[in-house]
Amino acid sequence: MTTFNDNKLHGDPGIEAHALHHEIPVTSDGATPMQRDRATTIFEKGAAGRRAFVAPALDVPEVEATKLLPPALRRDAVARLPEVSEPELVRHYVKLSRRNFDLDTGFYPLGSCTMKHNPRLHERVASLSGHARLHPLQAPERSQGALELMYNLERALGEVSGLPHVSLQPSAGSHGELAGVLLTRAFHEDRGQVRTKVLTPDTAHGTNPATVTMAGMTVVKVGTNPDGGVDLDDLRAKADDTVACLMLTNPNTLGVFDPNITEIAKIVHDVGATLYYDGANLNAIMGKARPGDMGFDIVHFNLHKSFTQPHGGGGPGSGPIAVSERMKPYLMNPRIVRADDGSFDLDDHGYEKSIGRLRGFQGNYGCFVRSYAYICSLGGEGLKDASETAVLNANYLLARLRRLGVADQLPLAFGVLCMHEFVLSGAPMKRDLQIRTLDLAKRLLDHGFHPPTVYFPLLVDEALLIEPTETETRETLDAFADVLADILREARE
Amino acid sequence: MTTFNDNKLHGDPGIEAHALHHEIPVTSDGATPMQRDRATTIFEKGAAGRRAFVAPALDVPEVEATKLLPPALRRDAVARLPEVSEPELVRHYVKLSRRNFDLDTGFYPLGSCTMKHNPRLHERVASLSGHARLHPLQAPERSQGALELMYNLERALGEVSGLPHVSLQPSAGSHGELAGVLLTRAFHEDRGQVRTKVLTPDTAHGTNPATVTMAGMTVVKVGTNPDGGVDLDDLRAKADDTVACLMLTNPNTLGVFDPNITEIAKIVHDVGATLYYDGANLNAIMGKARPGDMGFDIVHFNLHKSFTQPHGGGGPGSGPIAVSERMKPYLMNPRIVRADDGSFDLDDHGYEKSIGRLRGFQGNYGCFVRSYAYICSLGGEGLKDASETAVLNANYLLARLRRLGVADQLPLAFGVLCMHEFVLSGAPMKRDLQIRTLDLAKRLLDHGFHPPTVYFPLLVDEALLIEPTETETRETLDAFADVLADILREARE
Amino acid sequence: MTQYTAVTDADLAEMLSAIGVSSVQELFDRQIPADVRLGRALDLPAGLPEQEVYGHLRELARKNVSAEDEITFLGAGMYDHYVPAVIDMLLGRSEFLTPYTPYQPEVSQGNLQAMFEYQTAISELTGLPVSNASVYEGPSAVASAGYLARLANGKPKFIVSRGLHPHSRETLATYAHGFGAEIVEVPLKDGVTDAAAWAEAIDGETGAVFFQQPNFLGAVEDAAALAAAAKDSPAVVIGQYDPIPLGIIKPPGECGVDVCVGEGQTLGNRLDFGGPSFGFFAATEAYLRRMPGRIAGETVDADGRRGFVLTLQTREQHIRREKATSNICTAQALNALAGVVYLTWLGKQGLVDLGELLLQRTHYAREQLVALDGVTALHDQPVVREFAVSCNGADVGAVIRRCQDEGVNPGYALGRDYDEFPDGLLVALTEQRSKADIDRLAEVLGTAVAAERATVGASA
Amino acid sequence: MTQYTAVTDADLAEMLSAIGVSSVQELFDRQIPADVRLGRALDLPAGLPEQEVYGHLRELARKNVSAEDEITFLGAGMYDHYVPAVIDMLLGRSEFLTPYTPYQPEVSQGNLQAMFEYQTAISELTGLPVSNASVYEGPSAVASAGYLARLANGKPKFIVSRGLHPHSRETLATYAHGFGAEIVEVPLKDGVTDAAAWAEAIDGETGAVFFQQPNFLGAVEDAAALAAAAKDSPAVVIGQYDPIPLGIIKPPGECGVDVCVGEGQTLGNRLDFGGPSFGFFAATEAYLRRMPGRIAGETVDADGRRGFVLTLQTREQHIRREKATSNICTAQALNALAGVVYLTWLGKQGLVDLGELLLQRTHYAREQLVALDGVTALHDQPVVREFAVSCNGADVGAVIRRCQDEGVNPGYALGRDYDEFPDGLLVALTEQRSKADIDRLAEVLGTAVAAERATVGASA
Ligand SMILES: Cc1ncc(COP(=O)(O)O)c(C=O)c1O
Ligand SMILES: Cc1ncc(COP(=O)(O)O)c(C=O)c1O
């Protein structure tokens, strides 16, 4: 702790007679006049004729409008959009914003979401007009910087995952999953096989099974063993040559790294299926272990998690995929290629047996800029530091909770240590103290903390999935542990 | 009012069982854990060794540092600056920010301060690197855009004020005042006269008398007549050939436009003194009347008031001055000049008898960019609309307060109508209801409104100086009037 | 420790001892088997100070020619509309930028209300009663609409107008290959969907029909007629709309369209070389429970106060898993926020004014270009913000390059996607392209076409 | 009505009727005499849509060559330091950007605490116990310090080192002419203040002495010696300091300086063609009640909670009017906030690291330049971030132009302010100028000087 500088000047006499900290009072019915305004939508504000927009003047010779667009194709009733001045607009949305909890205001240990610090440098570089106002159909000769950035990002993601061939196209994790399952389909079809079963552990995130169905395949659930890993016997029983793929998160949503991963990969590969890595938890292992080295064929990244895209209240995200050699021919086009002279191009037919496109243009480039900046800032060592610290912080928080006795009511669901996150079970708390995980979550808000993920993963009763991330200080972890202990004490009293 | 679109979808069953609006509870001792953190300074946070800054690598051959800077000139004890990571830094200051009341969150009718909407376009254009990273000593040939902008702004300010010669140099209103008084001194000295008295009405802002002293002159107070204008008899009595200048705000800080202005100018000019216009209240008359046409010799602008610089919690500001022909030779150098070929230059000797510089470089250029953008957006008509609406809003609010009976306890101090602001006297309220203006101010905060200026101008007992500005809606004015009425009712009950 | 982490040596010692391990590596060693641990450093460049990262990214930006650097008429799905400064400010606020999906409504009323307002605006725009809170972007929204149809009626055949954006058609094909639907393309005639072929293609096995308004060639389709042709089939009528002209074009809800989707970039989002933007997704009441993604709803809470929550979550993957209506999770909340702020900024009259302005300028631009030697109209349909011309056999790629060398990007070479229009050029307008810009385009394009024809003539 | 106002026709009618007037004009007619009413429209261009204002301001920006467009070694009072992105974000927040001076402490704790933290940081930097919350900028801070001295001891003579920034000297002269003080300039010798002349100039009538550290030629002065020379006089010792080298240079508080002021631009503020930035103002306890401007203090409120307020306000114009210690009102709160955020970002070690880096690079740059033909050192004093060379008679203006044509701005022509150094060039370093940049400067400058000498030779 820095010694506090004693440049203390005291207030003018008399001023201390007031309270210096103003709080809007919470009235008995919970609604001060200011609060009443808050749930009023922009459609209910303003007045007919107000506007924030000034249209450019008509500078071309005017032609009668119905000649240009016949009445039959014209709109009759005007869309009832808001009518507000710019000051009204600004105040409305600034006030709305202040009704959100956000990462820059407090601890946000939402498990599986990797709420790490979002550096503002990334917003700055993404706003440069050379990136932000670049049209996606600009000629490759005139978008060399963008292509170079994407090429570099692909290579970095390939190195981190151990899977060299990367497509940046998918828009989010779930979109990457869809790409991966469609790739798997193409892979089998190319071998003349129709395989429609996809194995997913019961700890899997909901997007995994949903994706399988959307890709026209069938979900087959695989159980979890007492250590929180894949139930190998169940896996062996279900793995046969009708199986297209096993989708796995590792460490999984319990924060458990499956120690049998090599064996799992062997089982899956032996029946000719592919192994898919849900990269939502990559933040645990960057620079420490690589999906490619574990035998995975396909991985998706959540750039908005491990590579610190701001979450935006539910997006945008970006879900690039990286694949092994054998999956490469099926990747989405266009492909970024680098010529011998160092120039870059987009090849619409870069992958011969491509599954096709998954969206317009080249993907969420604005997200690439940010994540690329992150990788440039941290380098290989920094990424490793991120994962190491994420794991250290999670284990330290766990240890604190144990030390404070919180673990008595909220025991760790699986294992002894954890990776970057851990799951507590609220079952004893519910039984002993008659409070549920949801109540705990609400009470945390009173203390200025965002609650962890609750009721997920589904297989843990009253689950509380806590991911502190590497960017939190020890002081914050201590304070959070203390508050959890306080809340339990409060409930006990 | 727009009819509200009825795209109403209702919540999943059960969710309504909770309160959806979270408020950090105000505990009996007024200090939740989150609140406790709030008054902790950045110096008390962090830990030894943490950092947000990564220094660039030493890329030149290293020379022993004490050879380059001998120990005698070196610092021994390191300055105890904070030691925090970037996430800690961000969270600390974001949280601090949320402890301010701001214009984008609520009504801010601080009289004399012109808290009008700050368009964000201005921040955007000011951030363009061609403006923001332009060095003030860049060669004029390579800063033509900046000089053109300043030249255009000077001309616009000249037109609005009716005084053609403009120097943008002063950093704020008070700095402009200093320029003006020093100009006056130079003017008289040039005529071989030593005049040291400056007349200021008792309604004047504190900067006026403070400036006079700072410029080595003496303040002579002039009284106010029952209508809120200058007491002409008092003025006549004090105006003699020892008087250097009369400083006037018009409309003055009572919101009263002095109808005798032509007569006042005559009295002042007849004794050979100059007439100074404190432009803090220019927002009342843009496009409607001009100081130059009223006989003023010098005017300062508060770009941060009339021309919507954001106030920044107490600056930056910008206080250009405009002067009449006879004051021109004394203006501050350098002068911006436009050559016949349309190019611009900075002339260090542009004004022959210049009083010299008042600061480094050319003034607060970043402020010029913003105010120039404002003038470009609004044009002459828009500036006039601003003043008209400012006066309309003030008079409407006054009328509402009368209608609601507020004026019984809080009567208008002077006059019947007002310009862009008005002063209420809290004396009857104090007498009848035993509440003071300060109590009223505090209670307004509970309702989400920033209080008006209180206890200024000094000559009104328990003064409440209210300036709504043109950018507020009628609904806001109504709500504010209602709340004032409610507070008085509350006090009565 | 980096600039983003905070574990000092003192912290580390205390933390390790609290955990009961001797090093961070031990945490990994005890959990990750040795054979899958990475035994070396990542092969990535070393980390850089902030100023150098900024410098590097700025250099990359400089290697691009953006819409700030040339007068561009490039559109074809994304358009260089002006993004007002209020959007940067609002989206840059930590409170909007950094939260996760609003799982805790008590501390997410800001986001939830903004979603609700966004949905209301999209409903107003499209004339359709329900809207979700956003999907990824335009073409995948089309594909998702196809999936909705598949779930809704199970019919295997999709009829697709060739006027639908090539990326939408490709994306739909990719998705449909997965969930199982066959795609039949209907050609264009005189610049719009061939009405006879369209009607003929639709039958009792048709699960969905797809068209674009205005279509890829910029022509305004007779949406009502296209929808009517599907009335007696089981098909879901799906239209991909450009939201900007919706101030003046008949809204899909009044044309018999069941599901209206589209690219939201034009609503307050930057070009960003193609993303992130958002896809909007609106539908008739009938498809409410088939919608993909988040939907915000209004409600009254336990204290009797109005509030907003995520609703109908039983459609979604986190509840229904393999039975979900879509796999979408993270969508485009921030971009959709830009959308509703933009629509609010434009306002009721502004959207109309903008539409009429573009209508006039587009007409003027078409007139100027077809008056050039060697340039003719590719079709004569009404156009509202984009139009297509033919360069009478000239190499369009070369013409474009010549124009760009003069600082004008004349548009998109249609031949890249349409073999039938090898010399087609698609020219887009926004409010940022003034008459002077259009006149400059005419000048530069005229010269370029003439030069190309001379070259071709010379080499022939 | 404009985009910034909200009075619709319906509003107007109701408002006028509530007021009891028939038109807005009547409000003016009844208050402003006819002879001073403006009977015509303002002669200003018509208002423009946002996009056009943006376009116009961008075009103006493009006519400037900024530090983003060339490799610049221009300093001389303002320096192209990297401004970290966190500053843009924080200063852009409405909560910091838009409030007025914190007159209502209950709803201004954010600003007040930030001011208090800023003051603490300045105290730490300077080693002086009190700091105010900011004044306008550097040179006027020097002049304000002069006013403080005038109020404190009333002595009429100011001794000023010629190493003080020319703008500071000029500003001080302007102010001093007003409040009445005579200025005596002490020349430089070997690049630093001539110690003998300095000592000789100081006497019992000296109200203040002024020097700059490092001085305008980049040389580190022996501040302790300069201060000591004034010890037996009534003079207030005033130093204008560059805050950046204070990580390695002995702080003024340890050198006997009474008042330390300076230009705060280098602390997280952009160049902005000269402003807004901020001036800092720190002093010994003795001058606390003479300080200009706002000062934030810590206190405990009625509820026993810690809080921050404006303090010692009886110094200020709004309370004391003509007896105030200064006329300053609006200062530079937002820029000072950037200052404390920047110092926090650098951190305790960062300020030292930055100082040492600049020390090394400055030395390297000086070595490279004086090795050039036709370039010699102007002085041999220690330099920490800026240094001066002579171009041996070449026309420095022409040399600079030649360099700029090659994309390198080599620095400032000293001859503009110092007749005694007609061929002097002042070269500044920041952490943004790498070794590669310095090498490029050496190359370009070498060529330029050679070319200029050839020209001079040829024309001679
Ligand atoms: C384990 C896991 N897999 C997949 C996803 C889906 O990622 P996205 O939201 O980017 O589609 C998530 C995100 O919540 C997740 O936590
Ligand atoms: C009437 C009046 N004059 C002068 C000033 C001083 O202006 P500034 O704060 O810009 O120095 C003010 C500002 O509060 C004012 O209201």
Side-chain angles (χ1 to χ4, degrees), chain B residues 5 9-10 12 16 21 124, chain C residues 83 124 298 306 311-312:
Chain B
N5 183 291
L9 291 164
H10 289 279
D12 288 344
E16 299 87 343
H21 302 261
R124 172 181 286 181
Chain C
V83 178
E124 277 297 329
E298 179 181 352
R306 185 187 193 185
T311 190
L312 296 169

Side-chain angles (χ1 to χ4, degrees), chain A residues 5 9-10 12 16 21 50, chain D residues 6 124 298-299 306 311-312:
Chain A
N5 184 292
L9 291 163
H10 290 280
D12 288 344
E16 301 86 345
H21 302 260
R50 291 193 192 146
Chain D
E124 277 296 330
E298 180 182 351
T299 189
R306 184 187 194 185
T311 190
L312 297 168

Side-chain angles (χ1 to χ4, degrees), chain A residues 51-57 85-87 89-90 133, chain B residues 117-125 128 373-374 376-378, chain C residues 81-89 341-342 345-346 431-432, chain D residues 3-4 46-58:
Chain A
R51 63 191 170 83
F53 172 66
V54 179
S85 66
E86 184 179 301
L89 182 160
V90 167
R133 281 189 78 186
Chain B
H117 174 64
N118 303 133
R120 289 307 176 121
L121 167 62
H122 304 176
E123 303 308 308
R124 172 181 286 181
V125 293
L128 291 166
Y374 181 64
C376 291
S377 289
L378 287 189
Chain C
H81 286 283
Y82 181 75
V83 178
V86 285
I87 290 188
D88 286 7
M89 183 274 271
V341 173
Y342 182 76
W345 182 75
L346 278 185
E431 72 291 340
Q432 303 213 79
Chain D
Q3 62 274 41
Y4 305 139
L48 296 173
E50 179 170 329
Q51 64 175 50
E52 290 173 29
V53 178
Y54 173 72
H56 175 49
L57 275 284
R58 190 194 54 206

Side-chain angles (χ1 to χ4, degrees), chain C residues 337-410:
Chain C
L337 173 66
V340 66
V341 173
Y342 182 76
L343 286 170
T344 299
W345 182 75
L346 278 185
K348 188 174 167 184
Q349 189 56 39
L351 184 75
V352 178
D353 293 348
L354 178 59
E356 298 288 1
L357 176 72
L358 293 179
L359 181 67
Q360 295 286 343
R361 284 200 184 153
T362 306
H363 172 71
Y364 176 77
R366 176 150 76 169
E367 296 274 286
Q368 299 309 301
L369 297 203
V370 300
L372 297 173
D373 236 20
V375 178
T376 51
L378 196 140
H379 63 76
D380 296 318
Q381 302 295 339
V383 291
V384 293
R385 67 119 84 241
E386 196 162 20
F387 62 95
V389 294
S390 302
C391 296
N392 298 8
D395 175 345
V396 181
V399 167
I400 292 174
R401 271 192 300 280
R402 281 183 189 272
C403 293
Q404 286 198 276
D405 288 344
E406 298 298 314
V408 179
N409 189 330

Side-chain angles (χ1 to χ4, degrees), chain A residues 191-456:
Chain A
R191 282 157 185 73
Q193 299 188 350
V194 182
R195 292 179 175 226
T196 58
K197 285 193 209 151
V198 177
L199 307 181
T200 60
D202 46 12
T203 53
H205 191 261
T207 48
N208 293 188
T211 299
V212 170
T213 311
M214 217 173 151
M217 304 224 185
T218 318
V219 172
V220 176
K221 256 198 222 161
V222 184
T224 297
N225 69 26
D227 299 328
V230 172
D231 180 334
L232 287 186
D233 294 334
D234 195 29
L235 175 63
R236 282 198 197 90
K238 288 169 178 163
D240 61 29
D241 63 10
T242 64
V243 168
C245 177
L246 168 65
M247 295 180 88
L248 208 65
T249 313
N250 194 26
N252 64 17
T253 60
L254 303 167
V256 170
F257 188 96
D258 202 315
N260 302 317
I261 184 60
T262 311
E263 176 63 14
I264 293 168
K266 189 172 175 322
I267 296 170
V268 171
H269 287 152
D270 282 352
V271 297
T274 64
L275 191 57
Y276 182 96
Y277 184 90
D278 177 334
N281 288 348
L282 193 76
N283 207 46
I285 60 164
M286 295 185 298
K288 307 299 290 184
R290 309 194 307 167
D293 300 341
M294 302 172 202
F296 285 92
D297 295 289
I298 310 167
V299 50
H300 85 249
F301 303 84
N302 297 68
L303 294 189
H304 43 302
K305 297 182 177 180
S306 328
F307 297 91
T308 197
Q309 286 303 314
H311 281 93
S318 179
I321 61 170
V323 303
S324 59
E325 205 59 38
R326 62 181 187 151
M327 306 305 297
K328 176 184 168 195
Y330 316 105
L331 276 174
M332 293 81 83
N333 278 330
R335 178 182 178 184
I336 301 163
V337 289
R338 186 173 185 278
D340 289 341
D341 67 358
S343 71
F344 298 90
D345 202 357
L346 276 175
D347 184 349
D348 280 335
H349 310 285
Y351 299 108
E352 323 85 77
K353 299 171 177 177
S354 173
I355 57 167
R357 323 188 132 258
L358 272 173
R359 53 161 288 163
F361 311 111
Q362 292 85 233
N364 283 343
Y365 176 77
C367 299
F368 308 156
V369 176
R370 292 170 173 87
S371 290
Y372 179 65
Y374 181 64
I375 293 169
C376 291
S377 290
L378 288 188
E381 274 304 304
L383 291 179
K384 190 176 72 155
D385 171 86
S387 287
E388 288 182 346
T389 309
V391 171
L392 175 70
N393 277 357
N395 280 284
Y396 174 72
L397 179 56
L398 186 57
R400 285 291 303 168
L401 293 175
R402 287 196 177 114
R403 174 84 53 96
L404 293 170
V406 171
D408 300 344
Q409 263 82 39
L410 290 168
L412 184 66
F414 289 91
V416 182
L417 294 174
C418 64
M419 292 298 289
H420 68 305
E421 63 185 358
F422 56 89
V423 180
L424 303 180
S425 164
M429 175 179 73
K430 186 164 82 174
R431 189 191 57 216
D432 300 348
L433 306 174
Q434 283 76 51
I435 60 171
R436 301 191 45 185
T437 290
L438 194 64
D439 305 319
L440 188 71
K442 304 294 174 206
R443 190 69 181 127
L444 278 169
L445 294 174
D446 293 342
H447 290 272
F449 293 116
H450 195 282
T453 298
V454 293
Y455 300 104
F456 178 83

